[in-house]
Amino acid sequence: MVAALSLPLPLVAAALLALAAAWLWDFAVVRHLWRPRAVAAAFRAQGVRGPTYRFLKGSNDDVRRMRAEADAAALDVRDHDYLRRITPHLLAWKDQYGAPFLYWFGPQPRICLFDYESVRQVLWNKSGHFMKTDVHPTILAMLGKGLVLVEGTDWVRHRRVVNPAFAMDKLKMMTVTMISCADRLIKECEELASNNKSGIVEVEFSKHFEELTAEVISRTAFGNSYKEGKEVLHTQKQLLALALATLLNLKLPGFKYLPTKSNRLKWTLENKVKMTLMEIIQPRLALKGSGYGDDLLGLMLEACFTTEQGERRDELTLTKDEIIDECKTFFFAGHETTSHLLTWTMFLLSVHPEWQERLREEVLRECGKANPTADTLSKLKEMTMVLLETLRLYGPIMTMIRKPISDIRLGSLTIPKGTGIVIPIPILHRDKEVWGANANEFDPLRFANGITNAAKTPQALLGFSIGPRSCIGQNFAMLEAKSVMAMILQKFSFTLSPKYVHAPTDFITLQPKFGLPIVLRPLDASC
């Protein structure tokens, strides 16, 4: 160190200049000029084209422009083909360049797939050749590096710990909590209706469902600490808003470490989530040997101290930070996806009253007027069909992205290492060769014989993904959605408010841009 300090200043300056030049060469020339040109040339040689790469920005400006232009369009309420609003860039490039095509997320190449066979090869791959792509730092702070994002042996370790919490027998026990939370919403709506002379009331259900699912996941995940859990969720929503504002911005190396206004806000919110979760988790860990509770957190902690053979162990399988990340993941994902599933189901049943009445008859036949139970909910076959069709048409996630860890052959294509493989879920869900001529229409009967037989391609429904990395919380989401919808159908009939504007929007998840105002009518006693 002393010798280095004693070097003449011109030599030090020359060394620093050489380092800066090497970094600039790698960053500007190799990463942002040479590599994109080489990747584009490799794909062109295979017949794959796409929009021209632009230095640093890739295709981001084109995506931003086309989305802004499409955002003004409102649709007819029976028009379920909203793709021109949500993914105008993918549709335009598919028409212009054919399928598949190559585009750019900044300097990162992305190839968009439109055939189910290639998608199946990617999602069902068990050899570890395909990994999740790098996540936006703010989304990572919000979601945590839990089961959704970890890879390889870490994923196996996380899955073993989380899996017991989502076993069906455990979820059935949580149905009581789901019903109790839904009952409070029903009573609130009944009170609003009773205060109106006509008995008819307008309710903004997207907000109500957000609050309801926040209450459910808070109580089922953290038990008596549900108030702190709701505070975590509120902070995660702030991180989500921050991520949306910066998702397509230019990302320079090291920028995430600079104390900018957005970075400082991200750090503050991330620390708040971590500290709140630690305050919930730490007292549970002190109960070692005397049970950790029967909520999702307690079941996960129990699994952390249990071997695969059921024997007790002295140390945690996951670190405290990993437990915190798992809490972030199932907490946010469990709230966000179910909230939107309920919202779009309510929308579709309002637009298609024949199915609303059909489900009401099924609910009253299987559950009567009493609160549903796990057993009676399992008998609601047509309800399941409607929820699956809702996931097909209005699933919460727009795209899944994977990348190969080495150059790999996929169908007739050779895909270079690190290329993002984009799976456009709503476009695939409207493939008429797979789903039939009525692919753009609401038809729950397509699921009458189960998911496997709903389309010409088995397991074509991608709402919860497929393969070994399919969503571990799908049974939780379906059980909660059934509980809430059954209780609403028992008490009310409903239609869309004249105020409703059909403008689905991608805010990381698919949401109605202007909410979901619904007109509720209490059912007659004779019903």
Side-chain angles (χ1 to χ4, degrees):
M1 185 69 176
V2 174
L5 291 174
S6 65
L7 288 173
L9 285 177
L11 288 178
V12 174
L16 292 174
L17 188 61
L19 286 172
W23 176 87
L24 187 62
W25 174 266
D26 180 67
F27 173 73
V29 178
V30 176
R31 297 186 190 180
H32 290 80
L33 283 176
W34 178 81
R35 191 175 295 161
R37 288 176 183 270
V39 170
F43 275 113
R44 273 199 307 273
Q46 301 180 75
V48 176
R49 301 178 303 131
T52 303
Y53 169 77
R54 290 185 174 85
F55 182 64
L56 294 178
K57 296 182 178 181
S59 308
N60 290 11
D61 284 349
D62 292 333
V63 174
R64 186 183 282 111
R65 174 182 54 79
M66 283 190 270
R67 281 184 169 177
E69 291 171 354
D71 189 59
L75 309 176
D76 182 88
V77 294
R78 286 183 172 268
D79 184 358
H80 306 309
D81 186 8
Y82 51 79
L83 302 183
R84 59 188 179 276
R85 275 189 51 85
I86 301 295
T87 58
H89 53 299
L90 299 185
L91 296 181
W93 291 332
K94 184 173 182 285
D95 289 343
Q96 185 174 355
Y97 303 110
F101 60 78
L102 179 73
Y103 72 105
W104 304 88
F105 186 73
Q108 301 169 14
R110 291 187 170 179
I111 185 163
C112 195
L113 301 180
F114 295 91
D115 67 289
Y116 268 101
E117 179 54 31
S118 295
V119 169
R120 187 193 65 79
Q121 290 181 44
V122 172
L123 297 181
W124 272 100
N125 185 275
K126 297 181 180 180
S127 59
H129 288 314
F130 298 100
M131 300 176 65
K132 302 288 182 75
T133 55
D134 297 331
V135 180
H136 188 287
T138 307
I139 293 179
L140 183 60
M142 173 191 73
L143 199 58
K145 198 167 184 181
L147 191 63
V148 171
L149 297 178
V150 290
E151 301 285 353
T153 56
D154 285 336
W155 178 81
V156 174
R157 188 165 48 89
H158 281 244
R159 178 83 181 200
R160 192 193 71 78
V161 167
V162 176
N163 206 47
F166 289 92
M168 185 54 75
D169 61 327
K170 305 297 184 184
L171 296 182
K172 285 182 177 180
M173 294 170 58
M174 296 176 190
T175 307
V176 176
T177 301
M178 297 174 182
I179 296 295
S180 175
C181 293
D183 190 51
R184 282 191 284 274
L185 171 61
I186 296 297
K187 284 183 167 55
E188 184 178 345
C189 292
E190 286 179 326
E191 184 176 350
L192 289 172
S194 67
N195 291 334
N196 193 317
K197 290 182 179 179
S198 66
I200 300 172
V201 63
E202 182 174 298
V203 177
E204 210 297 277
F205 262 96
S206 63
K207 294 297 183 186
H208 276 285
F209 284 146
E210 282 185 16
E211 293 167 3
L212 171 63
T213 55
E215 184 83 7
V216 169
I217 195 66
S218 297
R219 290 182 180 274
T220 54
F222 300 129
N224 292 333
S225 301
Y226 70 92
K227 291 182 180 178
E228 292 88 341
K230 291 175 77 171
E231 184 61 31
V232 169
L233 186 58
H234 175 70
T235 309
Q236 286 180 312
K237 296 289 279 187
Q238 292 176 280
L239 282 165
L240 176 61
L242 184 61
L244 281 167
T246 59
L247 192 60
L248 292 176
N249 289 357
L250 178 64
K251 297 173 182 63
L252 297 173
F255 183 79
K256 64 181 179 181
Y257 301 110
L258 297 179
T260 62
K261 182 179 179 181
S262 63
N263 280 345
R264 292 198 309 272
L265 177 58
K266 179 180 81 73
W267 298 335
T268 298
L269 295 172
E270 185 177 16
N271 188 61
K272 183 177 179 180
V273 169
K274 181 176 181 178
M275 290 299 101
T276 305
L277 286 172
M278 184 56 75
E279 288 174 5
I280 297 171
I281 293 168
Q282 196 62 47
R284 301 285 190 99
L285 292 175
L287 298 174
K288 187 174 180 180
S290 58
Y292 303 99
D294 57 2
D295 50 27
L296 291 174
L297 174 60
L299 294 169
M300 188 171 68
L301 290 176
E302 182 66 33
C304 273
F305 284 106
T306 306
T307 67
E308 291 186 37
Q309 292 73 35
E311 301 168 353
R312 297 294 297 177
R313 51 183 291 143
D314 295 327
E315 296 180 355
L316 287 164
T317 305
L318 305 182
T319 67
K320 289 182 183 179
D321 283 342
E322 287 174 326
I323 293 171
I324 286 172
D325 278 349
E326 286 301 343
C327 288
K328 288 182 185 179
T329 297
F330 68 63
F331 197 63
F332 184 81
H335 158 263
E336 191 78 1
T337 55
T338 313
S339 169
H340 301 320
L341 175 57
L342 283 165
T343 295
W344 291 116
T345 302
M346 196 82 171
F347 162 75
L348 286 168
L349 292 180
S350 298
V351 173
H352 300 276
E354 70 281 7
W355 273 99
Q356 181 185 150
E357 187 55 36
R358 191 164 173 166
L359 291 198
R360 182 174 293 108
E361 290 174 0
E362 181 184 53
V363 168
L364 293 174
R365 181 173 66 250
E366 301 296 346
C367 307
K369 296 181 181 179
N371 284 348
T373 65
D375 289 336
T376 56
L377 290 172
S378 68
K379 299 176 182 178
L380 302 180
K381 305 302 182 184
E382 293 188 337
M383 176 80 77
T384 301
M385 289 158 48
V386 166
L387 291 173
L388 293 175
E389 181 70 342
T390 302
L391 279 172
R392 187 185 72 85
L393 288 174
Y394 292 90
I397 306 301
M398 295 293 96
T399 58
M400 290 184 281
I401 306 176
R402 301 290 187 269
K403 64 179 179 181
I405 60 174
S406 60
D407 293 357
I408 196 165
R409 191 81 176 169
L410 187 64
S412 61
L413 289 179
T414 297
I415 299 180
K417 170 185 176 181
T419 302
I421 299 173
V422 178
I423 300 170
I425 298 173
I427 296 178
L428 289 165
H429 281 174
R430 287 162 175 77
D431 186 336
K432 293 184 179 181
E433 291 185 7
V434 174
W435 292 97
N438 68 342
N440 286 323
E441 299 171 14
F442 177 70
D443 180 17
L445 289 174
R446 71 178 84 244
F447 290 100
N449 296 314
I451 294 177
T452 304
N453 300 308
K456 293 179 182 178
T457 298
Q459 294 186 311
L461 184 69
L462 303 174
F464 290 118
S465 189
I466 57 174
R469 297 294 297 260
S470 61
C471 176
I472 196 172
Q474 57 185 292
N475 289 332
F476 183 99
M478 291 292 284
L479 195 57
E480 182 179 354
K482 281 186 177 183
S483 301
V484 176
M485 289 310 306
M487 295 185 71
I488 292 174
L489 288 162
Q490 283 176 322
K491 299 289 186 178
F492 300 99
S493 64
F494 45 90
T495 56
L496 283 178
S497 165
K499 298 176 185 176
Y500 176 75
V501 178
H502 193 37
T505 302
D506 182 11
F507 289 136
I508 305 295
T509 52
L510 185 70
Q511 306 175 30
K513 183 176 181 179
F514 303 106
L516 181 65
I518 292 286
V519 176
L520 285 179
R521 293 174 175 81
L523 295 173
D524 295 335
S526 59
C527 294

